[in-house]
Amino acid sequence: MCGIVGYIGGRDATPIIYNGLKRLEYRGYDSAGIAVLQNEQIEVRREAGKLSALGNLLQKSPIEGSLGIGHTRWATHGAPSARNAHPHVGRTGRVVVVQNGIVENFLELRDELSAEGVEFKSDTDTETIVHLVEHYLASGLNLVEAARKTFQHIQGANVVVLMSADEPDKIVTARIGNAGGVVIGFGEEEMFVASDVPAILEHTRRVVFLESRQMAVVTRNGASVETLEGSRVQPEVHVVAWDPVAAEKGAYRHFMQKEIHEQVRALTDTLAGRVDFERGKIRLPDLNLTPELAKRIDKIYITACGTAAYAGMVGKTLIEKIARVPAEVVIGSEFRYSDPIIDERTAVLAISQSGETADTLAAMEEGRRKGAVVWSIVNAIGSQAMRIADGSISMQTGPEIGVASTKAFTAPLVDQYMLAILLADLRGVLDEKTRHALVSDLRLIPDLAGRTLEREADVEKLAYALKDIKGCLYLGRGINMPIAYEGALKLKEISYIHAEGYPAGEMKHGPIALIDEEMPVLCLAPKDPWHEKMISQIQQAKARGGMVAAVATDGDELVASMADHVLWVPEAPWMLSPIITVLPLQLLAYHIAAIRGLDVDQPRNLAKSVTVE
Ligand code: AGP
């Protein structure tokens, strides 16, 4: 997860930025850099690896000045290296930029800028931003207007921070979509910009949080905030509690709410360093998947517990559809008692946020005992599920504090999609065009997620309507059937309301007897291959007097004409739709529990990691 720190004031910028980046280290990164204005020149120091490597470089080659920006980077485009580390400087050497997120249209931008004679010095999408700013400066615009034009031109979910040696009285920053936060800190004749509160908490408690599609001009005496379109904004100044836990929540009431919104950045980060958009290739080096092994595997067991198991159910569809390898989901607590049929051609894929869930670890051991190759998708670095596997994929979402799993549900959906593409590619069952299309779709995810989360107010309205219900049915089909299970689990575990996820097609074989005006039904009805089936499901529920709320794709008037409530989501490629359809359900469970005044982050009877059988 990338970190950003900027400073403008009267003190030496380097230690303030460096120490701020250290407080963001928990988020994970693979390179770091800092740019400071020294004697009217922009000096940059960048190093691959840990922050200490940058610290050593700064010892050997210090920079002094009172205006600067720094960055810790998870590689998304271009390998982790000093060359690809941020900050990135343009041709003139007078402008420097750092970014969190993915510039979705960077390929087109690179072509446009290369045609103007720009020679790119890195493989990153971020470098296109600084060259675009210089392009607009060259047309006669000042820094703020050149930055605004640039922010309007790039597409995707991004946080951008930039400065210029020619206008050393300001830092310009913007939040485009929801790729993580921009915090502006107010000091005494000094100002701070950061991607998260902990980076600047030792200097100030007075902060402003930028909203999506807002930009700010930060001088040493304050900040002016506008929309990207130029309308002035008067943001609320928050006073952050000194206590780091409260600070960690930032502007959110609960960690769960923060982590739901963090998914744009978490989804960007789980892609980090693994997708070569230009060649349409996936890189999962820690999985240790060789062509020989990929060709040998003829069965995959996916094993996990709770929410992670529902992520595995989506993964089953992805692996079978893309890699054409039979996949079966067996929950951790059943796996080792089910005498699974395993040999050296079997893979066991475990999914676990904590990496310490006893049932899941036991399933891995059973797979190993029977000769399977054992993989894991894990969030907690260094956990057992990561250590004992033959190969693993780190979710890279940063710590998940809320007991109810959110970003550690959506990240493994992306990780399994990438695994399926890599497996198919190595098995030679994926033609070049299809592979490129599947890889290219990954670029859409952060922005689609951000646009969905921006609709939180609509979900909150439905939460008020449902806050006193006694039960709820969640129905889905195909790749979105596991989202019905996951949505029901979210509601159960934090609001204590009974909810049941059920295959929509199965309702007529009994459970439809449950439906009446007291039993609301939540239908997953996005534009996917099962959409028509879900339409008839909504009709069946309505015919029995049920109140129906539907998750539907923007513009789906047919669903709108039938359902009592619609939670709209943007259109997404169907294999990635579960990443988007689950978001309103996470928010719905969250708001119902919050309205009911329950302990959202630590629900009764639950632990974040179930390390016992
Ligand atoms: C989900 O919200 C719950 N916290 C629970 O189902 C959880 O997913 C399950 O216990 C598995 O935990 P793990 O991912 O850490 O293995």
Side-chain angles (χ1 to χ4, degrees), residues 535-554:
I535 294 295
S536 66
Q537 188 58 52
I538 294 172
Q539 287 165 332
Q540 288 172 40
K542 287 297 294 173
R544 282 136 186 100
M547 185 283 266
V548 173
V551 174
T553 302
D554 288 344

Side-chain angles (χ1 to χ4, degrees), residues 63-117:
I63 24 178
E64 278 182 24
S66 57
L67 169 68
I69 55 179
H71 187 265
T72 48
R73 172 183 184 247
W74 260 117
T76 51
H77 298 71
S81 63
R83 173 173 175 271
N84 287 329
H86 304 199
H88 286 281
V89 182
R91 277 191 285 188
T92 65
R94 308 296 291 165
V95 184
V96 66
V97 167
V98 297
Q99 186 222 183
N100 282 352
I102 290 183
V103 179
E104 276 180 26
N105 56 336
F106 84 99
L107 285 176
E108 300 89 271
L109 291 173
R110 277 178 81 116
D111 292 346
E112 282 171 31
L113 292 159
S114 302
E116 288 177 13

